[in-house]
Amino acid sequence: QVQLVESGGGLVQAGGSLRLSCTASGLTFDDYAMGWFRQAPGKEREGVSCISAGGGTTLNADSVKGRFTISRDNAKATLYLQMNNLKPEDTAMYYCAAQRGFWLPTPLDYTRYNLWGQGTQVTVSS
């Protein structure tokens, strides 16, 4: 059974940092492109950052460029999202997602992914 389990969310003040993790099981992790997505109440799910199966290619949404860094450790089957200089508008439920393939067309499009975690809440206070 495939599972993606996120952790690392929490409450932080504006300007602070958090590191999210997503541990995968039940799949050959390095066969999958991965992404982080977020959804705030009343808003559509949006792509935050994504990474190729080998980890050499990444893409960030404009809203997080220079602040968020995605990475992966294929030996540990774990995906990370380092979030620095957090802003109140970053408040959302954060999800990791996986799709088999090295890299995806339009990889920040959440409809490209078929495996999802349950999410971890990030709340940034002003």
Side-chain angles (χ1 to χ4, degrees):
Q1 182 180 358
V2 175
Q3 276 194 309
L4 301 176
V5 180
E6 300 96 334
S7 60
L11 173 64
V12 64
Q13 288 188 331
S17 297
L18 284 174
R19 188 195 196 201
L20 305 184
S21 298
C22 170
T23 301
S25 60
L27 53 79
T28 303
F29 189 69
D30 54 6
D31 283 347
Y32 286 75
M34 303 290 296
W36 285 101
F37 297 80
R38 65 187 181 188
Q39 188 166 20
K43 294 189 176 181
E44 190 176 7
R45 188 167 298 192
E46 64 170 340
V48 174
S49 189
C50 54
I51 190 167
S52 61
T57 303
T58 62
L59 180 66
N60 290 317
D62 288 344
S63 58
V64 305
K65 280 181 180 176
R67 300 189 300 123
F68 290 12
T69 302
I70 190 171
S71 63
R72 64 192 293 163
D73 185 336
N74 284 350
K76 294 182 179 179
T78 302
L79 177 73
Y80 302 101
L81 185 67
Q82 178 67 44
M83 305 187 294
N84 298 329
N85 190 22
L86 282 159
K87 304 176 180 180
E89 51 264 43
D90 294 319
T91 295
M93 185 72 79
Y94 282 71
Y95 300 90
C96 70
Q99 177 61 44
R100 189 178 180 89
F102 183 78
W103 185 244
L104 306 176
T106 59
L108 289 177
D109 178 355
Y110 71 90
T111 65
R112 293 289 185 181
Y113 297 80
N114 69 345
L115 299 173
W116 291 85
Q118 83 291 347
T120 186
Q121 177 68 37
V122 172
T123 303
V124 185
S125 63
S126 57

